[in-house]
Amino acid sequence: MSDLVVYGSPLSPFVRKVEILLREKGLDFESENVNVIGMPDWFAEISPARRIPVLRDRSIGAEGVAGTIPDSSAICAFLERKAPKPAFYPDAAYDLGRALWFEEFADSELAGLTGGGIFRPLIFPRFQGKESDVDTARATFNEKLPPKLDYLEQSLDGRDYLIGDGPTIGDVAVVCVLSQIDVVAGMPDPKRWPGVAAHYMRISERPSMAANLATCAKMLARALPEKFDLS
Ligand SMILES: N[C@@H](CCC(=O)N[C@@H](CS)C(=O)NCC(=O)O)C(=O)O
């Protein structure tokens, strides 16, 4: 039995972020599925915001609130202290600030579009046997998303990573939320955003993330026999 348990669904970009850090740091963990539709009452006790993920460290507490941490950003900061190598939070003050900014940009600005504006309207109705809301997804993809991708393209400025010469929590968070588009519709135009596309491939092909995406593809296979064309 592992000490660490991740409660959530691999389809959540925030659960994905936590899974990636756990694997990159070589930490053994178990996953326990919790659905956001019809969240069980026992989960509300350990997740007052009623959101996934929550992490449990059984070495601290095996039941109830003891040993639990909600929120992917809090969990990832905990994992960095628990297993400092390889580091995903830069040492230098400015670099650390930038890495945390990109994590915040991903989790608030970008996730609202890729999750709430694209993934959910396309997939959630399908899970309930209903029609996807393609108009909402298309409007988000073509009108709201491009300025955010322009900002990322500028921030990368031809470099492999957003900060320094290796991946930080900022790169991981950005790619995790962009993958919400990839799994349902493919990535936005690589000719228009070549840096974003290459950065996405660089991170998503790491075994730590590829493992999550393979699980997601299996989970989505029935509801999504083929990807949507949002262009
Ligand atoms: N800031 C939170 C955000 C977590 C979040 O929004 N998770 C979504 C799933 S992707 C959720 O649980 N939503 C619950 C709901 O929609 O009822 C984190 O980083 O963990």
Side-chain angles (χ1 to χ4, degrees), residues 4 6 14-15 17-19 21-22 25 27 46-49 51-57 60 67-83 89 100 103-104 107 169 173:
L4 300 177
V6 180
F14 306 105
V15 172
K17 179 168 43 136
V18 168
E19 279 189 22
L21 240 68
L22 283 161
K25 290 175 175 295
L27 291 166
I46 60 170
S47 180
R51 290 182 183 273
I52 56 171
V54 170
L55 181 87
R56 177 181 296 284
D57 186 340
I60 298 172
T68 61
I69 305 173
D71 192 276
S72 65
S73 301
I75 296 167
C76 288
F78 163 76
L79 295 175
E80 179 84 356
R81 281 288 169 93
K82 191 173 171 73
Y89 294 73
L100 295 177
E103 182 183 25
E104 169 58 22
D107 291 0
I169 192 67

Side-chain angles (χ1 to χ4, degrees), residues 11 129 148 156 209 219:
L11 291 173
K148 311 289 178 197
L156 280 161
M209 181 157 179
M219 292 175 77

Side-chain angles (χ1 to χ4, degrees), residues 35-179:
N35 219 319
V36 292
I37 307 171
M39 231 170 227
D41 288 343
W42 66 264
F43 186 74
E45 191 197 336
I46 60 170
S47 180
R50 299 185 73 89
R51 290 182 183 273
I52 56 171
V54 170
L55 181 87
R56 177 181 296 284
D57 186 340
R58 287 192 180 114
S59 71
I60 298 172
E63 276 176 40
V65 170
T68 61
I69 305 173
D71 192 276
S72 65
S73 301
I75 296 167
C76 288
F78 163 76
L79 295 175
E80 179 84 356
R81 281 288 169 93
K82 191 173 171 73
K85 298 280 178 208
F88 277 76
Y89 294 73
D91 278 338
Y94 181 69
D95 289 353
L96 175 64
R98 294 287 289 169
L100 295 177
W101 154 244
F102 283 112
E103 182 183 25
E104 169 58 22
F105 175 71
D107 291 0
S108 52
E109 295 284 320
L110 268 185
L113 301 179
T114 68
I118 296 175
F119 183 88
R120 281 184 182 228
L122 291 179
I123 289 299
F124 278 28
R126 290 257 177 122
F127 283 152
Q128 296 164 331
K130 297 183 190 151
E131 287 289 308
S132 298
D133 178 0
V134 184
D135 289 347
T136 295
R138 209 162 260 149
T140 307
F141 187 83
N142 293 302
E143 289 155 35
K144 295 186 180 161
L145 192 63
K148 311 289 178 197
L149 297 177
D150 289 343
Y151 173 70
L152 283 176
E153 189 72 28
Q154 266 176 15
S155 303
L156 280 161
D157 196 21
R159 289 173 295 110
D160 286 354
Y161 300 100
L162 286 162
I163 300 120
D165 52 13
T168 69
I169 192 67
D171 299 284
V172 172
V174 163
V175 170
C176 280
V177 296
L178 289 181
S179 61

Side-chain angles (χ1 to χ4, degrees), residues 181-202:
I181 314 173
D182 189 28
V183 295
V184 293
M187 277 294 284
D189 187 0
K191 291 199 194 80
R192 185 163 170 198
W193 295 286
V196 171
H199 178 253
Y200 180 80
M201 296 299 285
R202 193 167 292 118

